[in-house]
């Protein structure tokens, strides 16, 4: 027989089963946080911007034709405070499980204030694969409130924009929080972040009606990449330099280059990376960095007459001109990182750790200095396989007719 104490335990177990999840909430009681901005505080340490989705705008019969997101602002000394204090200005519980993007003011990153990442990494509600971006000083709020056509949740629009910019031109790429934290914590490679700004910020750009305009005056612009060294942001690569950097980082990168072929005349070549080989070694006590890049190419446009694609000799000439241009750009960007910043964002040190750990142990505490004094060689191979829908350019015929007319 079950005693009184046993019956009590059974009753308690039954009640706990019937109670369900103790922290269960209805979706109607939630505000879905999609983006967060962090800037130097006005009254306290940080000003936090919380972007929340207006979920009713995604349901056909519930739409009120208002903005699909709104932004709440508050000053705090720690990011965790916003979890508990948010309802001072917002009517429902903040749900951070769908946080997509964190935008951080350039001033905080240049000061080396990385404490914000401790909260983001520690919280069980926040996914560590969220994207992190750097923002020009004073523009964090503008980034999270500038809407555009149908993509009226700015954090989603930014992620899509960076993703497409990477796929189409290789000018930047999304950076997950876990990747940024890992590279900041390890020796051998410094992290980079996409760098954003808002062109022509206005209050009008924060309204739903602005998204319906054919020619928006304000828009989010990918400026390039923020460079870090020893936990602090130390500089910015412009979009073209970022592309030259990512050409050494990604396999199967697609991008394009403008190549000068005459006086203020160019041709454009679209590149699809097929080979990438990087070697780090020491010779006579000095680091040597050897980078080899191989591309398949398509000729997209020619402003110069005489570059006839049906002529094998000219075909070789086009390839050599493109190889020189890519070589100059990639090598120039590496040297800029060596001379101006002394920051190995390429991961040459990590590669040395994998291939020659004895040498790496000797230099790991001063690797950025070793990188700055390293000898660098870059080789580029480009094979032209397509020239659009035609071979010869009509410009050759135009040039011939002009000469005939003069004669």
């Amino acid at each position: 027989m079950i005693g009184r104490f046993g019956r009590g335990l059974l009753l308690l177990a039954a009640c706990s089963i019937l109670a369900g999840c103790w922290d269960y909430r209805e979706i109607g009681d939630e505000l879905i946080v999609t983006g967060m901005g962090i800037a130097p505080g006005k009254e306290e340490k940080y000003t936090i911007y919380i972007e929340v989705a207006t979920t009713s705008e995604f349901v056909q019969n519930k739409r009120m034709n208002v903005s699909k997101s709104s932004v709440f602002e508050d000053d705090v000394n720690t990011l965790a405070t916003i979890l508990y204090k948010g309802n001072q200005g917002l009517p429902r519980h903040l749900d951070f499980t769908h946080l997509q993007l964190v935008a951080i003011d350039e001033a905080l990153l240049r000061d080396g204030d990385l404490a914000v990442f401790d909260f983001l990494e520690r919280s069980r509600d926040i996914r560590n694969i969220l994207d992190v971006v750097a923002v020009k000083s004073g523009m964090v709020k503008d980034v999270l409130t500038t809407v555009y056509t149908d993509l009226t949740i700015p954090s989603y629009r930014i992620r899509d924009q960076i993703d497409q910019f990477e796929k189409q031109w290789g000018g930047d790429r999304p950076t997950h929080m876990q990747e940024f934290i890992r590279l900041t914590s390890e020796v051998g490679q410094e992290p980079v972040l996409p760098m954003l700004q808002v062109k022509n910020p206005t209050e009008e750009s924060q309204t739903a009606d602005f998204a319906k305009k054919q020619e928006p005056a304000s828009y989010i612009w990918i400026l390039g990449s923020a460079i870090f060294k020893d936990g602090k942001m130390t500089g910015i690569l412009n979009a073209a330099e970022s592309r030259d950097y990512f050409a050494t980082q990604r396999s199967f990168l697609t991008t394009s280059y403008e190549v000068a072929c005459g006086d203020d005349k160019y041709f454009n070549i679209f590149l699809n990376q097929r080979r990438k080989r990087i070697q780090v070694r020491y010779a006579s006590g000095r680091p040597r960095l050897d980078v080899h890049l191989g591309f398949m190419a398509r000729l997209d446009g020619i402003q110069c007459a005489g570059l006839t694609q049906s002529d094998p000799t000219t075909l070789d000439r086009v390839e050599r001109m493109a190889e020189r241009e890519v070589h100059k750009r990639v090598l120039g960007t590496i040297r800029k990182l060596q001379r101006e910043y002394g920051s190995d964002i390429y991961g040459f040190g990590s590669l040395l750790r994998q291939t020659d750990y004895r040498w790496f142990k000797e230099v790991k505490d001063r690797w950025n200095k070793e990188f700055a004094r390293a000898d660098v060689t870059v080789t580029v191979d480009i094979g032209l396989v397509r020239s659009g829908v035609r071979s010869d350019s009509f410009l050759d015929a135009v040039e011939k007719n002009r000469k005939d007319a003069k004669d």
Side-chain angles (χ1 to χ4, degrees):
M1 296 182 63
I2 302 175
R4 183 178 299 177
F5 180 70
R7 288 196 296 271
L9 287 177
L10 288 174
L11 181 62
L12 181 61
C15 290
S16 63
I17 293 172
L18 293 173
C21 297
W22 67 271
D23 60 349
Y24 171 77
R25 294 185 183 91
E26 291 286 350
I27 187 65
D29 297 330
E30 302 285 301
L31 279 176
I32 307 300
V33 178
T34 52
M36 177 188 291
I38 308 170
K42 303 180 182 72
E43 298 177 1
E44 299 188 38
K45 187 172 183 179
Y46 303 114
T47 296
I48 307 296
Y49 302 94
I50 300 294
E51 177 194 72
V52 294
T54 309
T55 53
S56 62
E57 288 304 298
F58 296 90
V59 183
Q60 186 68 35
N61 61 351
K62 298 288 186 179
R63 290 179 180 172
M64 295 180 290
N65 292 320
V66 298
S67 174
K68 290 184 178 178
S69 66
S70 56
V71 174
F72 166 77
E73 174 183 346
D74 195 13
D75 268 30
V76 297
N77 287 318
T78 66
L79 265 66
T81 303
I82 206 69
L83 287 174
Y84 317 109
K85 189 184 175 187
N87 291 118
Q88 185 176 8
L90 292 170
R92 298 190 183 101
H93 175 261
L94 295 176
D95 185 338
F96 284 85
T97 57
H98 289 76
L99 181 63
Q100 303 288 314
L101 180 99
V102 173
I104 305 179
D105 192 285
E106 175 185 3
L108 293 176
L109 296 174
R110 287 189 180 274
D111 286 343
D113 187 352
L114 303 182
V116 295
F117 289 100
D118 183 77
F119 161 73
L120 296 172
E121 184 185 37
R122 192 182 296 271
S123 173
R124 66 186 182 95
D125 293 329
I126 296 176
R127 297 178 294 179
N128 60 9
I129 59 171
L130 63 85
D131 290 340
V132 182
V133 297
V135 180
K136 288 290 286 184
S137 287
M139 289 191 170
V140 170
K141 182 178 180 179
D142 297 319
V143 162
L144 289 179
T145 54
T146 298
V147 296
Y148 182 77
T149 58
D150 190 43
L151 301 174
T152 49
I153 295 185
S155 60
Y156 279 64
R157 175 262 171 97
I158 292 168
R159 294 177 76 244
D160 288 343
Q161 184 175 348
I162 295 173
D163 184 60
Q164 289 301 315
F165 193 43
E166 175 197 19
K167 291 177 179 177
Q168 298 297 322
W169 201 60
D172 222 318
R173 73 173 179 84
T175 301
H176 293 328
M177 181 180 70
Q178 62 181 5
E179 178 188 4
F180 180 83
I181 292 174
R182 178 180 63 82
L183 293 179
T184 302
S185 306
E186 294 179 355
V187 176
Q189 182 172 3
E190 299 284 359
V192 298
L193 289 178
M195 187 77 192
L196 307 181
Q197 71 176 82
V198 177
K199 290 287 189 76
N200 308 316
T202 62
E203 291 185 5
E204 183 188 12
S205 68
Q206 303 171 13
T207 65
D209 288 338
F210 178 80
K212 302 174 185 177
K213 291 195 171 185
Q214 188 174 11
E215 296 184 28
S218 303
Y219 50 92
I220 296 171
W221 184 260
I222 301 175
L223 192 61
S225 299
I227 305 165
F228 286 79
K229 180 182 178 182
D230 301 328
K232 293 184 178 182
M233 178 180 166
T234 187
I236 301 173
L237 293 180
N238 63 36
E241 292 166 338
S242 296
R243 172 203 55 190
D244 302 330
Y245 157 66
F246 283 113
T248 69
Q249 298 297 294
R250 286 188 53 208
S251 298
F252 307 109
L253 173 99
T254 56
T255 187
S256 69
Y257 279 82
E258 297 172 345
V259 183
C261 59
D263 187 15
D264 198 28
K265 293 184 179 181
Y266 304 86
F267 67 83
N268 189 284
I269 195 160
F270 178 84
L271 302 178
N272 194 330
Q273 191 179 72
R274 283 294 178 262
R275 297 185 308 280
K276 183 188 73 171
R277 187 176 69 252
I278 299 176
Q279 184 180 21
V280 182
R281 55 195 171 90
Y282 270 77
S284 302
R286 192 178 185 89
R288 290 191 57 85
L289 315 175
D290 300 315
V291 178
H292 175 78
L293 305 174
F295 300 93
M296 296 175 65
R298 180 185 73 221
L299 191 62
D300 276 346
I302 308 173
Q303 297 176 4
C304 298
L307 295 181
T308 305
Q309 289 304 293
S310 57
D311 180 358
T313 303
T314 308
L315 178 68
D316 290 340
R317 181 183 166 205
V318 169
E319 291 175 344
R320 301 295 87 75
M321 292 169 69
E323 287 170 354
R324 286 194 296 270
E325 179 66 20
V326 176
H327 172 271
K328 179 183 72 174
R329 295 301 305 262
V330 171
L331 181 59
T333 301
I334 294 175
R335 286 179 173 166
K336 178 175 182 176
L337 265 297
Q338 287 181 298
R339 295 167 182 171
E340 295 186 25
Y341 302 114
S343 174
D344 177 15
I345 63 175
Y346 292 87
F348 292 120
S350 296
L351 186 57
L352 179 65
R353 179 177 56 206
Q354 298 170 24
T355 57
D356 193 341
Y357 188 68
R358 288 186 179 181
W359 261 113
F360 179 75
K361 282 201 304 183
E362 292 187 21
V363 300
K364 66 177 184 178
D365 293 335
R366 61 176 191 277
W367 172 249
N368 277 328
K369 293 181 179 179
E370 291 292 288
F371 165 70
R373 74 184 188 95
D375 295 325
V376 183
T377 59
V378 174
T379 56
V380 178
D381 290 329
I382 293 178
L384 191 59
V385 295
R386 291 179 57 194
S387 60
V389 297
R390 63 179 297 157
S391 295
D392 297 348
S393 173
F394 76 93
L395 295 175
D396 294 333
V398 173
E399 187 66 23
K400 182 177 182 301
N401 291 338
R402 286 174 178 172
K403 290 182 178 178
D404 291 344
K406 289 181 180 179
D407 294 341

